[in-house]
Amino acid sequence: MKIKLIGIICVVLAAFVISCQSDEQVEFNRYFSAGSAVYQANCQNCHGAKGEGLQGLIPSLTDSVYLKSNKYQLACFVKNGLKGQIKISGKQFEGEMPPNDLSPVEIAQVLTYVTNSFGNKSATITIDQANADLAKCN
Amino acid sequence: MKKLVYAIAFILLWNACKLNSSDNKALPIFGNKEAVTKTVNGKQVTDTLYQTIPAFKFVNQYGDTITDKSLDGKIYVADFFFTTCPNICPVMHRNMLPVYNEFKSHADFRIISHTIDPKYDTVPVLKKYADKMGISGNTWWLLHGQKNDTYTIAKSYLVSLQEKNPQGQYVHDGYFILIDKQKRIRGTYQGTDAKEVEKMTADIKTLMAEPDQKSTK
């Protein structure tokens, strides 16, 4: 009896976990594929189809450590642009990235795409997360 | 009788196709053509005069004066850009880099990139851009000049440039123009399209092999 009950609880728990995961996966896929389109339209010209950047002029998007340590500023970088010195993959860059007129959901999508492409791996950056980050822009 | 006509038609067609596909490898010559009749040794000779790039004078990223004479005996590719261009220029020059690397050891090959924003793109700015792009030596010149001169020369490359639009951006098309040693236009390629630029690289090799383009050493 006891064993049966434990068995049922385990099955229910497992079902929960699986369905949760797939919900998350669906959400991730949705953000990722929409983000890919946003990237192509707004970022790819400069940063390249493989996020490779351009020589010493435009930084690559392949520095996972930089992306991770600036996770909560990325939304502001995209929205307001970025100016001045920046060190990416051990290389010093200067210059300017222009501001982008993207909606918070587009920012969330493109950040999900970038932080999960070009060798980067991270979680979904949701619209709630993007909005929270954008509220703290300088 | 009918069969004979068919046979002749077939042979003619086949020959016509064969002629086209034979290794008759020469690039077309673009631009306006003009027939000129002149008298040579008392004989009337008609010659085709092709459109050529007129004389010009600009300054490169090293501060050296570059004129049409600097490109005598060179095959070259020309384009128009500006260093702060947010849209097509990074793509154009990303695509131009392999061309630079492929031909930088050829003494008779050049790339010239005219800035269309001479106010911002001064000689030191162009030098910095070159350094960051990782280009050195004299294969790839970034040219600074009076705005009028640049806009005038663009027309002879069949490239269209426009003044700044209300958003403060320049509108220009991203063509790479291939010029031969006689300063004639031999190809135009969409510089933002990596496939077209690959074709340009192939065409440059074809052009270099043409008898009147051979290296003069």
Side-chain angles (χ1 to χ4, degrees), chain B residues 94-110:
Chain B
R94 182 181 293 120
N95 290 337
M96 189 72 99
L97 265 180
V99 181
Y100 165 78
N101 286 320
E102 173 97 32
F103 298 109
K104 65 181 172 192
S105 59
H106 288 72
D108 55 351
F109 179 77
R110 292 281 183 275

Side-chain angles (χ1 to χ4, degrees), chain A residues 70-131:
Chain A
N70 289 278
K71 197 177 165 189
Y72 301 110
Q73 284 83 55
L74 296 178
C76 298
F77 292 167
V78 172
K79 184 172 196 282
N80 300 326
L82 204 53
K83 218 178 195 170
Q85 298 276 336
I86 176 175
K87 198 171 186 180
I88 301 289
S89 303
K91 233 158 117 182
Q92 201 71 33
F93 291 87
E94 53 173 7
E96 194 180 341
M97 177 167 79
N100 271 285
D101 193 19
L102 294 177
S103 66
V105 68
E106 286 173 314
I107 292 176
Q109 288 162 345
V110 79
L111 288 179
T112 300
Y113 177 74
V114 168
T115 54
N116 286 284
S117 301
F118 323 131
N120 304 316
K121 191 89 199 86
S122 139
T124 310
I125 295 175
T126 62
I127 171 132
D128 294 339
Q129 182 64 55
N131 271 324

Side-chain angles (χ1 to χ4, degrees), chain B residues 71-76 103-110 179 181 204 208 213-217:
Chain B
L71 291 159
D72 282 351
K74 313 277 186 214
I75 287 168
Y76 71 97
F103 298 109
K104 65 181 172 192
S105 59
H106 288 72
D108 55 351
F109 179 77
R110 292 281 183 275
I179 306 295
K181 291 184 179 177
I204 292 170
M208 283 175 166
Q213 306 295 327
K214 287 264 163 70
S215 318
T216 42
K217 274 178 192 164

Side-chain angles (χ1 to χ4, degrees), chain A:
Chain A
M1 186 63 206
K2 218 176 177 183
I3 290 172
K4 232 181 187 177
L5 194 70
I6 290 171
I8 290 168
I9 289 171
C10 280
V11 168
V12 168
L13 270 179
F16 254 119
V17 169
I18 289 166
S19 68
C20 278
Q21 255 179 359
S22 78
D23 263 1
E24 259 171 41
Q25 192 59 41
V26 166
E27 186 187 42
F28 172 82
N29 289 347
R30 210 175 281 152
Y31 271 86
F32 185 87
S33 60
S36 159
V38 175
Y39 183 82
Q40 277 177 32
N42 297 280
C43 318
Q44 186 167 309
N45 277 348
C46 289
H47 289 291
K50 298 186 209 75
E52 74 271 29
L54 180 60
Q55 302 289 93
L57 284 168
I58 296 159
S60 74
L61 299 173
T62 56
D63 188 341
S64 295
V65 176
Y66 180 88
L67 291 176
K68 201 161 275 175
S69 51
N70 289 278
K71 197 177 165 189
Y72 301 110
Q73 284 83 55
L74 296 178
C76 298
F77 292 167
V78 172
K79 184 172 196 282
N80 300 326
L82 204 53
K83 218 178 195 170
Q85 298 276 336
I86 176 175
K87 198 171 186 180
I88 301 289
S89 303
K91 233 158 117 182
Q92 201 71 33
F93 291 87
E94 53 173 7
E96 194 180 341
M97 177 167 79
N100 271 285
D101 193 19
L102 294 177
S103 66
V105 68
E106 286 173 314
I107 292 176
Q109 288 162 345
V110 79
L111 288 179
T112 300
Y113 177 74
V114 168
T115 54
N116 286 284
S117 301
F118 323 131
N120 304 316
K121 191 89 199 86
S122 139
T124 310
I125 295 175
T126 62
I127 171 132
D128 294 339
Q129 182 64 55
N131 271 324
D133 294 344
L134 288 169
K136 284 179 275 180
C137 286
N138 299 323

Side-chain angles (χ1 to χ4, degrees), chain B residues 3-19:
Chain B
K3 263 186 188 161
L4 188 70
V5 173
Y6 280 135
I8 290 170
F10 177 77
I11 290 167
L12 280 177
L13 264 175
W14 190 69
N15 270 329
C17 292
K18 208 177 73 172
L19 251 178

Side-chain angles (χ1 to χ4, degrees), chain B residues 36-74:
Chain B
V36 183
T37 310
K38 50 187 175 184
T39 315
V40 180
N41 299 334
K43 269 191 211 163
Q44 289 258 310
V45 181
T46 305
D47 227 353
T48 313
L49 214 61
Y50 290 96
Q51 180 177 334
T52 56
I53 304 303
F56 59 79
K57 191 173 166 189
F58 294 100
V59 176
N60 71 7
Q61 71 266 37
Y62 305 113
D64 300 331
T65 302
I66 301 298
T67 70
D68 48 307
K69 296 262 182 308
S70 321
L71 291 159
D72 282 351
K74 313 277 186 214

Side-chain angles (χ1 to χ4, degrees), chain B residues 12-179:
Chain B
L12 280 177
L13 264 175
W14 190 69
N15 270 329
C17 292
K18 208 177 73 172
L19 251 178
N20 276 339
S21 67
S22 71
D23 49 352
N24 170 24
K25 262 189 157 180
L27 300 182
I29 300 171
F30 294 96
N32 292 323
K33 295 177 184 71
E34 218 183 306
V36 183
T37 310
K38 50 187 175 184
T39 315
V40 180
N41 299 334
K43 269 191 211 163
Q44 289 258 310
V45 181
T46 305
D47 227 353
T48 313
L49 214 61
Y50 290 96
Q51 180 177 334
T52 56
I53 304 303
F56 59 79
K57 191 173 166 189
F58 294 100
V59 176
N60 71 7
Q61 71 266 37
Y62 305 113
D64 300 331
T65 302
I66 301 298
T67 70
D68 48 307
K69 296 262 182 308
S70 321
L71 291 159
D72 282 351
K74 313 277 186 214
I75 287 168
Y76 71 97
V77 174
D79 74 357
F80 295 82
F81 85 115
F82 58 108
T83 62
T84 52
C85 166
N87 37 58
I88 65 171
C89 309
V91 190
M92 290 164 66
H93 283 175
R94 182 181 293 120
N95 290 337
M96 189 72 99
L97 265 180
V99 181
Y100 165 78
N101 286 320
E102 173 97 32
F103 298 109
K104 65 181 172 192
S105 59
H106 288 72
D108 55 351
F109 179 77
R110 292 281 183 275
I111 299 168
I112 60 171
S113 294
H114 290 271
T115 173
I116 59 173
D117 184 9
K119 207 165 152 193
Y120 182 83
D121 290 342
T122 55
V123 169
V125 170
L126 292 175
K127 176 68 168 66
K128 213 167 186 180
Y129 181 89
D131 290 345
K132 286 183 184 173
M133 276 292 283
I135 60 179
S136 56
N138 277 304
T139 300
W140 191 344
W141 286 329
L142 309 171
L143 299 183
H144 177 272
Q146 294 295 318
K147 205 164 185 172
N148 270 344
D149 296 345
T150 304
Y151 279 57
T152 307
I153 200 86
K155 283 193 199 115
S156 60
Y157 288 109
L158 313 176
V159 169
S160 78
L161 303 177
Q162 280 161 41
E163 279 290 335
K164 267 186 182 173
N165 66 15
Q167 285 85 50
Q169 289 174 346
Y170 290 92
V171 180
H172 64 125
D173 51 26
Y175 282 104
F176 292 167
I177 318 296
L178 178 60
I179 306 295

